[in-house]
Amino acid sequence: MRSERDDRFDDQVRAVAERLPFAVELDADMGYTGGLFIDLGRRGGADDPPDTASIDGEVEPVTWTFDIEGGRKTVSSTFGPNADPADIAEWIAMQARDAGSPAAR
């Protein structure tokens, strides 16, 4: 069962996604936390994992992460659950450009 904490994270994911300088999709991780994540596109075929950005409420400290190809490489930020969405969006955009994520091309 999802908690209020999960819903708060989902609201922050939405706020961050709205501030990104390129189009992204939101999706839910139904097999793990059930929380929303930002889908930055797939580098290969439809069966390949996407690049993503998310906040994981299941670990301490709670921070934003950027994953290349479903976690082949993970970059953790210093941004926690109360960080400014604009700052997080700037960080994600930089990670996506540096990694060559499809959404940032």
Side-chain angles (χ1 to χ4, degrees):
M1 183 170 168
R2 290 179 52 81
S3 69
E4 286 181 34
R5 182 175 172 172
D6 296 327
D7 291 336
R8 180 172 54 97
F9 292 157
D10 285 354
D11 290 344
Q12 189 179 38
V13 170
R14 286 183 192 95
V16 169
E18 290 172 358
R19 289 164 174 80
L20 288 169
F22 40 74
V24 295
E25 293 185 24
L26 295 179
D27 204 349
D29 186 352
M30 301 314 291
Y32 182 53
T33 65
L36 286 179
F37 64 87
I38 299 170
D39 185 329
L40 298 158
R42 297 174 193 282
R43 296 165 183 268
D47 292 334
D48 292 330
D51 288 5
T52 62
S54 62
I55 187 166
D56 186 352
E58 300 292 316
V59 297
E60 290 293 333
V62 174
T63 58
W64 277 84
T65 59
F66 175 82
D67 287 319
I68 297 172
E69 294 182 307
R72 181 177 58 82
K73 180 179 178 186
T74 299
V75 180
S76 295
S77 76
T78 58
F79 296 109
N82 298 315
D84 184 325
D87 293 338
I88 299 164
E90 183 178 330
W91 178 80
I92 291 170
M94 181 182 68
Q95 297 303 317
R97 283 191 294 272
D98 289 351
S101 295
R105 291 184 195 154

XYZ file of all heavy atoms in Angstrom:
796
model
N 0.838 -1.180 0.000
C 0.000 0.000 0.000
C 0.890 1.253 0.000
O 1.857 1.339 0.743
C -0.878 -0.027 1.243
C -1.842 1.112 1.303
S -3.006 0.778 2.648
C -3.762 2.347 2.739
N 0.546 2.192 -0.847
C 1.318 3.430 -0.962
C 1.049 4.335 0.229
O -0.041 4.404 0.742
C 0.956 4.141 -2.260
C 1.478 3.371 -3.453
C 1.124 4.029 -4.754
N 1.490 5.412 -4.833
C 2.702 5.874 -5.114
N 3.679 5.040 -5.340
N 2.939 7.150 -5.187
N 2.069 5.054 0.642
C 1.943 5.954 1.778
C 1.843 7.405 1.304
O 2.051 7.705 0.135
C 3.160 5.796 2.692
O 4.307 6.295 2.036
N 1.555 8.299 2.240
C 1.548 9.729 1.926
C 2.933 10.170 1.461
O 3.061 11.048 0.624
C 1.133 10.539 3.157
C -0.334 10.437 3.471
C -0.702 11.267 4.673
O -0.096 12.342 4.883
O -1.595 10.842 5.417
N 3.959 9.549 2.001
C 5.332 9.856 1.617
C 5.525 9.569 0.123
O 6.110 10.359 -0.599
C 6.290 9.026 2.463
C 7.731 9.271 2.206
C 8.561 8.477 3.185
N 9.956 8.550 2.818
C 10.931 8.099 3.538
N 10.682 7.519 4.691
N 12.174 8.197 3.137
N 5.023 8.430 -0.356
C 5.114 8.084 -1.773
C 4.395 9.117 -2.629
O 4.885 9.514 -3.680
C 4.520 6.709 -2.044
C 5.282 5.583 -1.365
O 6.510 5.695 -1.225
O 4.632 4.602 -0.970
N 3.212 9.539 -2.191
C 2.440 10.529 -2.945
C 3.185 11.861 -3.009
O 3.164 12.528 -4.037
C 1.061 10.731 -2.323
C 0.173 9.508 -2.492
O 0.418 8.714 -3.435
O -0.756 9.342 -1.691
N 3.856 12.237 -1.937
C 4.622 13.486 -1.924
C 5.765 13.397 -2.926
O 6.055 14.342 -3.653
C 5.159 13.773 -0.522
C 5.966 15.052 -0.428
C 6.317 15.382 1.011
N 6.977 14.288 1.684
C 8.297 14.178 1.819
N 9.087 15.093 1.315
N 8.819 13.168 2.464
N 6.414 12.249 -2.985
C 7.484 12.065 -3.964
C 6.936 12.139 -5.381
O 7.563 12.713 -6.261
C 8.209 10.745 -3.751
C 9.011 10.669 -2.469
C 9.308 9.446 -1.913
C 9.465 11.814 -1.823
C 10.044 9.359 -0.737
C 10.210 11.746 -0.652
C 10.497 10.506 -0.107
N 5.773 11.543 -5.617
C 5.166 11.607 -6.945
C 4.888 13.052 -7.342
O 5.116 13.437 -8.489
C 3.875 10.804 -7.001
C 4.099 9.301 -7.037
O 5.274 8.868 -7.133
O 3.106 8.558 -6.967
N 4.423 13.857 -6.407
C 4.181 15.274 -6.694
C 5.481 15.971 -7.065
O 5.521 16.803 -7.974
C 3.540 15.976 -5.496
C 2.099 15.536 -5.262
O 1.484 14.932 -6.178
O 1.592 15.783 -4.151
N 6.566 15.639 -6.375
C 7.843 16.259 -6.686
C 8.357 15.787 -8.049
O 8.900 16.585 -8.818
C 8.886 16.005 -5.602
C 10.133 16.846 -5.832
C 11.192 16.669 -4.786
O 11.404 15.576 -4.298
N 11.876 17.755 -4.458
N 8.177 14.519 -8.373
C 8.593 14.011 -9.686
C 7.852 14.772 -10.781
O 8.454 15.190 -11.780
C 8.349 12.484 -9.793
C 8.538 12.000 -11.222
C 9.269 11.721 -8.842
N 6.560 14.980 -10.609
C 5.791 15.751 -11.594
C 6.331 17.179 -11.727
O 6.471 17.707 -12.830
C 4.321 15.786 -11.207
C 3.588 14.498 -11.431
C 2.093 14.638 -11.097
N 1.465 13.355 -11.042
C 1.283 12.638 -9.931
N 1.695 13.105 -8.757
N 0.696 11.456 -9.984
N 6.598 17.815 -10.594
C 7.092 19.203 -10.603
C 8.446 19.293 -11.301
O 8.696 20.243 -12.054
C 7.183 19.737 -9.174
N 9.310 18.321 -11.082
C 10.624 18.316 -11.730
C 10.459 18.096 -13.233
O 11.058 18.808 -14.044
C 11.545 17.245 -11.103
C 12.798 17.044 -11.932
C 11.898 17.626 -9.669
N 9.654 17.124 -13.621
C 9.449 16.812 -15.040
C 8.932 18.027 -15.810
O 9.338 18.260 -16.953
C 8.489 15.637 -15.190
N 8.061 18.811 -15.194
C 7.515 20.013 -15.843
C 8.590 21.056 -16.114
O 8.433 21.890 -16.996
C 6.428 20.632 -14.960
C 5.168 19.806 -14.887
C 4.182 20.337 -13.848
O 4.494 21.334 -13.149
O 3.114 19.731 -13.720
N 9.675 21.018 -15.365
C 10.723 22.031 -15.491
C 11.888 21.603 -16.393
O 12.795 22.397 -16.628
C 11.238 22.397 -14.104
C 10.210 23.202 -13.312
C 10.541 23.246 -11.836
N 9.653 24.112 -11.094
C 8.428 23.779 -10.690
N 7.934 22.586 -10.969
N 7.686 24.633 -10.014
N 11.866 20.378 -16.877
C 12.944 19.930 -17.757
C 12.855 20.633 -19.105
O 11.754 20.910 -19.591
C 12.883 18.417 -17.941
C 13.313 17.617 -16.713
C 12.966 16.142 -16.872
C 14.803 17.790 -16.464
N 13.998 20.915 -19.741
C 14.000 21.660 -21.001
C 13.720 20.796 -22.235
O 13.893 21.252 -23.358
C 15.423 22.229 -21.051
C 16.243 21.221 -20.319
C 15.340 20.718 -19.218
N 13.293 19.561 -22.024
C 12.957 18.663 -23.123
C 11.793 17.784 -22.681
O 11.489 17.674 -21.497
C 14.157 17.815 -23.545
C 14.997 17.304 -22.398
C 14.564 16.272 -21.578
C 16.227 17.883 -22.134
C 15.327 15.825 -20.521
C 17.012 17.434 -21.076
C 16.554 16.398 -20.266
N 11.134 17.175 -23.656
C 9.956 16.346 -23.375
C 10.371 15.017 -22.749
O 11.339 14.390 -23.180
C 9.183 16.103 -24.660
N 9.636 14.611 -21.730
C 9.843 13.325 -21.068
C 8.485 12.701 -20.791
O 7.455 13.362 -20.894
C 10.629 13.476 -19.732
C 12.031 13.979 -19.974
C 9.887 14.360 -18.751
N 8.521 11.448 -20.415
C 7.310 10.756 -19.998
C 7.465 10.367 -18.538
O 8.583 10.162 -18.055
C 7.081 9.508 -20.843
C 6.760 9.817 -22.291
C 6.414 8.569 -23.074
O 5.990 7.562 -22.470
O 6.575 8.612 -24.298
N 6.335 10.266 -17.847
C 6.330 9.755 -16.481
C 5.795 8.337 -16.526
O 4.878 8.042 -17.282
C 5.461 10.614 -15.572
C 5.938 12.041 -15.350
C 4.973 12.790 -14.444
C 7.337 12.064 -14.769
N 6.373 7.488 -15.715
C 5.938 6.106 -15.648
C 6.005 5.680 -14.185
O 6.639 6.352 -13.366
C 6.842 5.223 -16.512
C 6.160 3.939 -16.949
O 5.073 3.607 -16.431
O 6.724 3.255 -17.816
N 5.359 4.581 -13.860
C 5.384 4.075 -12.488
C 6.136 2.762 -12.442
O 6.005 1.930 -13.332
C 3.972 3.889 -11.967
N 6.935 2.605 -11.413
C 7.695 1.377 -11.195
C 6.808 0.413 -10.422
O 6.846 0.366 -9.205
C 8.972 1.699 -10.430
C 9.882 0.502 -10.289
O 9.463 -0.611 -10.647
O 11.011 0.687 -9.822
N 6.020 -0.342 -11.139
C 5.049 -1.215 -10.486
C 5.690 -2.423 -9.801
O 5.116 -3.006 -8.907
C 3.993 -1.683 -11.495
C 3.230 -0.525 -12.128
S 2.663 0.741 -10.964
C 1.422 -0.162 -10.075
N 6.893 -2.782 -10.198
C 7.528 -3.947 -9.607
C 8.357 -3.645 -8.378
O 8.784 -4.533 -7.676
N 8.575 -2.366 -8.077
C 9.460 -2.043 -6.961
C 8.737 -1.137 -5.967
O 8.101 -1.611 -5.054
C 10.756 -1.417 -7.497
C 11.765 -1.080 -6.437
C 12.191 -2.034 -5.514
C 12.297 0.187 -6.343
C 13.117 -1.726 -4.539
C 13.234 0.502 -5.373
C 13.633 -0.463 -4.473
O 14.551 -0.147 -3.511
N 8.800 0.164 -6.167
C 8.212 1.076 -5.195
C 6.808 1.508 -5.553
O 6.071 1.981 -4.696
C 9.055 2.367 -5.069
O 9.011 3.060 -6.319
C 10.480 2.052 -4.682
N 6.440 1.388 -6.814
C 5.150 1.896 -7.259
C 5.193 3.386 -7.514
O 4.228 3.969 -7.953
N 6.333 4.006 -7.239
C 6.466 5.448 -7.408
C 6.726 5.851 -8.847
O 7.181 5.055 -9.671
N 6.434 7.100 -9.129
C 6.689 7.640 -10.460
C 8.176 7.836 -10.700
O 8.934 8.104 -9.765
C 6.008 9.003 -10.618
C 4.499 9.018 -10.788
C 4.018 10.462 -10.912
C 4.061 8.216 -11.985
N 8.575 7.719 -11.967
C 9.922 8.071 -12.369
C 9.853 8.792 -13.704
O 8.851 8.726 -14.415
C 10.851 6.855 -12.431
C 10.480 5.823 -13.457
C 10.936 5.923 -14.767
C 9.688 4.741 -13.117
C 10.608 4.966 -15.715
C 9.351 3.778 -14.053
C 9.812 3.892 -15.356
N 10.918 9.502 -14.029
C 11.019 10.247 -15.285
C 11.732 9.363 -16.294
O 12.859 8.941 -16.065
C 11.773 11.572 -15.072
C 11.011 12.448 -14.074
C 11.974 12.291 -16.406
C 11.782 13.663 -13.599
N 11.048 9.077 -17.393
C 11.593 8.243 -18.470
C 12.253 9.157 -19.488
O 11.597 9.995 -20.104
C 10.458 7.440 -19.099
C 10.921 6.453 -20.145
O 11.939 6.712 -20.822
O 10.242 5.421 -20.307
N 13.555 8.983 -19.681
C 14.341 9.817 -20.594
C 14.636 9.126 -21.922
O 15.457 9.596 -22.699
C 15.640 10.233 -19.905
C 15.419 11.074 -18.650
C 16.609 11.006 -17.731
C 15.109 12.498 -19.030
N 13.960 8.032 -22.178
C 14.065 7.352 -23.458
C 14.985 6.152 -23.459
O 15.831 5.984 -22.590
N 14.796 5.334 -24.480
C 15.564 4.100 -24.659
C 16.623 4.299 -25.729
O 16.363 4.886 -26.765
C 14.644 2.961 -25.065
C 13.625 2.642 -24.007
C 12.611 1.602 -24.499
N 11.477 1.528 -23.605
C 11.463 0.899 -22.439
N 12.532 0.257 -22.042
N 10.404 0.899 -21.674
N 17.784 3.772 -25.481
C 18.895 3.882 -26.430
C 18.797 2.831 -27.528
O 19.361 2.991 -28.589
C 20.219 3.721 -25.696
C 20.476 4.815 -24.713
C 21.593 4.443 -23.754
N 21.756 5.499 -22.780
C 22.591 6.509 -22.909
N 23.370 6.596 -23.959
N 22.660 7.429 -21.986
N 18.133 1.732 -27.260
C 18.051 0.629 -28.213
C 16.609 0.353 -28.594
O 15.829 1.267 -28.831
N 16.269 -0.908 -28.581
C 14.930 -1.332 -28.955
C 13.937 -1.210 -27.822
O 14.260 -0.818 -26.700
N 12.702 -1.598 -28.121
C 11.599 -1.483 -27.159
C 11.822 -2.318 -25.905
O 11.267 -2.014 -24.848
C 10.285 -1.872 -27.828
N 12.618 -3.373 -26.009
C 12.866 -4.228 -24.848
C 14.049 -3.771 -23.999
O 14.305 -4.331 -22.937
C 13.102 -5.671 -25.301
C 11.842 -6.304 -25.876
O 10.738 -5.873 -25.507
O 11.974 -7.218 -26.703
N 14.781 -2.772 -24.464
C 15.918 -2.263 -23.705
C 15.429 -1.317 -22.614
O 14.454 -0.595 -22.795
C 16.886 -1.523 -24.623
C 17.577 -2.457 -25.595
O 17.769 -3.635 -25.246
O 17.916 -2.013 -26.701
N 16.112 -1.286 -21.459
C 15.685 -0.392 -20.380
C 15.972 1.066 -20.718
O 16.945 1.381 -21.401
C 16.499 -0.855 -19.178
C 17.688 -1.531 -19.759
C 17.261 -2.103 -21.078
N 15.133 1.965 -20.225
C 15.330 3.392 -20.500
C 16.316 4.036 -19.536
O 16.650 3.474 -18.494
C 13.933 3.976 -20.260
C 13.369 3.113 -19.173
C 13.894 1.721 -19.478
N 16.761 5.227 -19.905
C 17.441 6.100 -18.957
C 16.331 6.711 -18.103
O 15.263 7.062 -18.627
C 18.190 7.218 -19.684
C 19.427 6.727 -20.423
O 19.683 5.508 -20.461
O 20.129 7.581 -20.992
N 16.563 6.850 -16.812
C 15.528 7.371 -15.928
C 16.117 8.287 -14.860
O 17.310 8.250 -14.575
C 14.782 6.224 -15.195
O 15.711 5.501 -14.385
C 14.098 5.292 -16.175
N 15.242 9.069 -14.271
C 15.570 9.863 -13.090
C 14.437 9.637 -12.096
O 13.262 9.580 -12.480
C 15.697 11.337 -13.434
N 14.807 9.495 -10.821
C 13.775 9.206 -9.827
C 14.282 9.538 -8.431
O 15.473 9.781 -8.219
C 13.376 7.734 -9.883
O 14.478 6.913 -9.579
N 13.336 9.498 -7.499
C 13.673 9.635 -6.087
C 13.171 8.376 -5.403
O 12.047 7.945 -5.621
C 13.072 10.917 -5.478
C 13.569 11.115 -4.058
C 11.562 10.939 -5.580
C 13.309 12.488 -3.497
N 14.053 7.760 -4.640
C 13.732 6.484 -4.018
C 13.507 6.684 -2.530
O 14.445 6.979 -1.789
C 14.870 5.498 -4.270
C 14.561 4.099 -3.775
O 13.536 3.903 -3.091
O 15.347 3.189 -4.076
N 12.272 6.515 -2.104
C 11.923 6.676 -0.702
C 12.221 5.464 0.148
O 11.993 5.473 1.351
N 12.749 4.419 -0.481
C 13.029 3.178 0.245
C 14.437 3.132 0.829
O 14.770 2.194 1.538
C 12.836 1.979 -0.688
C 11.437 1.859 -1.262
C 10.395 1.509 -0.218
O 10.657 0.618 0.608
O 9.333 2.152 -0.214
N 15.273 4.088 0.484
C 16.655 4.091 0.986
C 16.905 5.364 1.790
O 16.221 6.363 1.624
C 17.676 3.999 -0.179
C 17.517 2.700 -0.932
C 17.559 5.171 -1.099
N 17.887 5.298 2.662
C 18.286 6.466 3.445
C 19.741 6.778 3.147
O 20.559 5.862 3.151
C 18.101 6.207 4.941
C 16.654 6.135 5.364
C 15.905 7.457 5.230
O 16.535 8.529 5.302
O 14.677 7.410 5.043
N 20.111 7.991 2.908
C 19.203 9.123 2.788
C 18.453 9.087 1.453
O 18.935 8.536 0.460
C 20.137 10.338 2.836
C 21.424 9.832 2.258
C 21.520 8.380 2.684
N 17.272 9.656 1.469
C 16.451 9.744 0.269
C 17.089 10.777 -0.659
O 17.281 11.925 -0.271
C 15.006 10.163 0.625
C 14.189 10.400 -0.626
C 14.357 9.115 1.519
N 17.474 10.354 -1.864
C 18.089 11.262 -2.828
C 17.581 10.950 -4.234
O 17.077 9.866 -4.509
C 19.627 11.141 -2.852
O 19.991 9.800 -3.149
C 20.236 11.589 -1.545
N 17.765 11.922 -5.105
C 17.466 11.750 -6.521
C 18.604 11.001 -7.186
O 19.774 11.220 -6.850
C 17.306 13.107 -7.195
C 15.933 13.668 -7.007
C 15.487 14.370 -5.929
C 14.848 13.557 -7.910
N 14.175 14.705 -6.110
C 13.758 14.215 -7.329
C 14.679 12.968 -9.161
C 12.514 14.296 -7.958
C 13.454 13.058 -9.775
C 12.386 13.713 -9.181
N 18.259 10.122 -8.134
C 19.269 9.399 -8.897
C 18.963 9.482 -10.384
O 17.816 9.682 -10.793
C 19.361 7.913 -8.495
O 18.094 7.297 -8.704
C 19.792 7.757 -7.061
N 20.007 9.316 -11.162
C 19.914 9.272 -12.614
C 20.485 7.929 -13.042
O 21.614 7.593 -12.675
C 20.729 10.422 -13.225
C 20.796 10.377 -14.717
C 19.750 10.873 -15.479
C 21.887 9.834 -15.357
C 19.810 10.821 -16.860
C 21.962 9.778 -16.729
C 20.909 10.280 -17.490
N 19.695 7.139 -13.763
C 20.130 5.809 -14.195
C 20.253 5.751 -15.709
O 19.327 6.139 -16.428
C 19.130 4.732 -13.762
C 19.174 4.455 -12.282
O 20.277 4.406 -11.720
O 18.098 4.273 -11.676
N 21.372 5.231 -16.162
C 21.582 4.992 -17.586
C 21.214 3.543 -17.863
O 21.689 2.631 -17.169
C 23.050 5.256 -17.977
C 23.395 6.726 -17.740
C 23.306 4.855 -19.430
C 24.862 7.058 -17.899
N 20.363 3.355 -18.848
C 19.927 2.020 -19.277
C 19.494 1.144 -18.105
O 19.997 0.043 -17.911
C 21.013 1.336 -20.094
C 21.274 2.033 -21.398
C 22.316 1.347 -22.247
O 23.426 1.081 -21.739
O 22.017 1.077 -23.418
N 18.546 1.660 -17.340
C 17.967 0.867 -16.275
C 18.894 0.543 -15.126
O 18.654 -0.395 -14.376
N 19.962 1.285 -14.970
C 20.866 1.076 -13.851
C 22.224 0.523 -14.240
O 23.023 0.185 -13.366
N 22.506 0.426 -15.549
C 23.853 0.010 -15.966
C 24.879 0.920 -15.302
O 25.935 0.487 -14.880
C 23.989 0.067 -17.492
C 25.364 -0.370 -17.988
C 25.469 -0.368 -19.494
N 25.191 0.911 -20.105
C 26.048 1.917 -20.228
N 27.255 1.822 -19.726
N 25.693 3.044 -20.811
N 24.525 2.193 -15.204
C 25.318 3.166 -14.455
C 24.335 4.067 -13.713
O 23.343 4.502 -14.291
C 26.186 4.003 -15.390
C 27.019 5.029 -14.651
C 27.899 5.826 -15.580
C 28.669 6.875 -14.791
N 29.428 7.752 -15.678
N 24.610 4.317 -12.442
C 23.747 5.163 -11.623
C 24.563 6.315 -11.063
O 25.669 6.113 -10.553
C 23.131 4.364 -10.457
O 22.339 3.307 -11.003
C 22.262 5.245 -9.569
N 23.996 7.514 -11.162
C 24.616 8.701 -10.592
C 23.672 9.215 -9.504
O 22.503 9.493 -9.781
C 24.831 9.799 -11.660
C 25.473 11.029 -11.041
C 25.650 9.271 -12.826
N 24.165 9.317 -8.292
C 23.357 9.833 -7.184
C 23.626 11.318 -7.003
O 24.761 11.767 -7.139
C 23.690 9.097 -5.891
O 23.325 7.745 -5.991
N 22.580 12.035 -6.669
C 22.704 13.471 -6.442
C 22.817 13.751 -4.951
O 22.747 12.844 -4.125
C 21.473 14.192 -6.995
O 20.368 14.007 -6.121
N 22.935 15.023 -4.633
C 22.881 15.457 -3.234
C 21.501 16.020 -2.912
O 21.287 16.519 -1.816
C 23.940 16.546 -2.967
O 23.712 17.644 -3.856
C 25.345 15.993 -3.174
N 20.576 15.924 -3.879
C 19.236 16.483 -3.695
C 18.324 15.503 -2.967
O 18.133 14.377 -3.404
C 18.594 16.833 -5.041
C 19.332 17.910 -5.783
C 20.048 17.621 -6.926
C 19.307 19.221 -5.329
C 20.724 18.608 -7.613
C 19.997 20.213 -6.008
C 20.699 19.907 -7.149
N 17.757 15.971 -1.869
C 16.815 15.170 -1.101
C 15.379 15.486 -1.473
O 15.101 16.190 -2.441
N 14.449 14.987 -0.668
C 13.029 15.110 -0.999
C 12.466 16.524 -0.917
O 11.395 16.786 -1.461
C 12.346 14.190 0.013
C 13.303 14.089 1.150
C 14.668 14.209 0.549
N 13.174 17.440 -0.283
C 12.656 18.805 -0.159
C 13.412 19.818 -1.011
O 13.223 21.018 -0.861
C 12.687 19.238 1.313
C 11.802 18.356 2.162
O 10.681 18.045 1.801
N 12.331 17.916 3.289
N 14.235 19.327 -1.919
C 15.018 20.225 -2.773
C 14.109 20.938 -3.774
O 13.012 20.466 -4.102
C 16.087 19.429 -3.508
N 14.595 22.059 -4.259
C 13.856 22.859 -5.231
C 13.755 22.095 -6.551
O 14.777 21.685 -7.110
C 14.594 24.178 -5.449
C 13.870 25.143 -6.361
O 13.203 24.709 -7.325
O 13.979 26.351 -6.124
N 12.524 21.898 -7.085
C 12.355 21.174 -8.342
C 13.155 21.765 -9.502
O 13.638 21.024 -10.366
C 10.858 21.246 -8.610
C 10.245 21.367 -7.254
C 11.222 22.223 -6.482
N 13.330 23.072 -9.529
C 14.108 23.699 -10.603
C 15.574 23.278 -10.535
O 16.201 23.021 -11.570
C 13.985 25.220 -10.537
N 16.126 23.196 -9.337
C 17.513 22.757 -9.172
C 17.678 21.290 -9.581
O 18.657 20.923 -10.227
C 17.979 22.946 -7.729
C 18.081 24.400 -7.322
O 18.199 25.275 -8.207
O 18.050 24.659 -6.099
N 16.725 20.469 -9.205
C 16.774 19.055 -9.565
C 16.670 18.901 -11.083
O 17.413 18.127 -11.693
C 15.647 18.267 -8.870
C 15.793 18.369 -7.350
C 15.650 16.801 -9.322
C 14.555 17.957 -6.589
N 15.750 19.639 -11.695
C 15.578 19.578 -13.149
C 16.865 19.984 -13.866
O 17.252 19.360 -14.865
C 14.408 20.453 -13.586
N 17.528 20.998 -13.361
C 18.798 21.428 -13.960
C 19.835 20.309 -13.870
O 20.559 20.036 -14.831
C 19.299 22.691 -13.266
C 20.555 23.260 -13.857
C 20.988 24.543 -13.156
O 20.135 25.288 -12.649
O 22.210 24.779 -13.120
N 19.899 19.652 -12.718
C 20.846 18.547 -12.531
C 20.525 17.383 -13.468
O 21.418 16.826 -14.118
C 20.831 18.099 -11.067
C 21.745 16.947 -10.790
C 23.099 16.995 -10.610
C 21.380 15.570 -10.688
N 23.588 15.729 -10.395
C 22.561 14.841 -10.434
C 20.174 14.890 -10.769
C 22.554 13.451 -10.269
C 20.173 13.507 -10.613
C 21.351 12.805 -10.363
N 19.246 17.016 -13.559
C 18.841 15.916 -14.441
C 19.159 16.261 -15.893
O 19.678 15.423 -16.643
C 17.350 15.582 -14.270
C 17.116 14.963 -12.890
C 16.867 14.645 -15.384
C 15.645 14.810 -12.522
N 18.862 17.488 -16.314
C 19.138 17.900 -17.694
C 20.628 17.793 -17.999
O 21.008 17.313 -19.076
C 18.632 19.318 -17.932
N 21.463 18.187 -17.065
C 22.908 18.096 -17.264
C 23.344 16.630 -17.369
O 24.129 16.268 -18.251
C 23.655 18.773 -16.115
C 25.169 18.735 -16.264
S 26.041 19.487 -14.867
C 25.669 18.327 -13.567
N 22.826 15.776 -16.487
C 23.169 14.351 -16.531
C 22.714 13.739 -17.856
O 23.457 12.968 -18.482
C 22.524 13.598 -15.359
C 22.975 14.028 -13.991
C 24.467 13.920 -13.786
O 25.092 12.935 -14.183
N 25.054 14.924 -13.168
N 21.506 14.079 -18.281
C 20.957 13.523 -19.521
C 21.765 13.957 -20.736
O 22.042 13.149 -21.629
C 19.493 13.923 -19.667
N 22.158 15.222 -20.773
C 22.989 15.702 -21.894
C 24.352 15.019 -21.884
O 24.823 14.546 -22.914
C 23.139 17.217 -21.839
C 21.920 17.981 -22.323
C 22.202 19.449 -22.493
N 22.490 20.124 -21.249
C 21.594 20.671 -20.437
N 20.316 20.651 -20.772
N 21.956 21.266 -19.328
N 24.985 14.961 -20.726
C 26.305 14.345 -20.610
C 26.280 12.862 -20.984
O 27.230 12.335 -21.564
C 26.869 14.495 -19.201
C 27.270 15.929 -18.867
O 27.280 16.773 -19.777
O 27.573 16.180 -17.682
N 25.181 12.170 -20.644
C 25.072 10.734 -20.902
C 24.519 10.434 -22.294
O 24.491 9.277 -22.704
C 24.183 10.096 -19.848
N 24.056 11.448 -23.000
C 23.477 11.221 -24.316
C 22.127 10.563 -24.275
O 21.764 9.794 -25.171
N 21.347 10.848 -23.237
C 20.005 10.276 -23.133
C 19.156 10.704 -24.324
O 19.247 11.860 -24.776
C 19.317 10.732 -21.839
O 19.991 10.228 -20.713
N 18.323 9.800 -24.840
C 17.514 10.130 -26.010
C 16.666 11.393 -25.853
O 16.538 12.174 -26.806
C 16.637 8.890 -26.182
C 17.506 7.771 -25.656
C 18.215 8.390 -24.478
N 16.087 11.635 -24.690
C 15.247 12.814 -24.500
C 16.023 14.119 -24.648
O 15.458 15.143 -25.030
C 14.568 12.772 -23.129
N 17.316 14.089 -24.369
C 18.134 15.304 -24.376
C 18.786 15.561 -25.731
O 19.481 16.561 -25.894
C 19.220 15.208 -23.305
N 18.564 14.705 -26.690
C 19.196 14.873 -28.009
C 18.432 15.861 -28.847
O 17.298 16.061 -28.800
C 19.255 13.554 -28.754
C 20.221 12.606 -28.094
C 20.332 11.342 -28.905
N 20.964 10.325 -28.073
C 20.769 9.040 -28.244
N 20.006 8.580 -29.179
N 21.386 8.185 -27.469
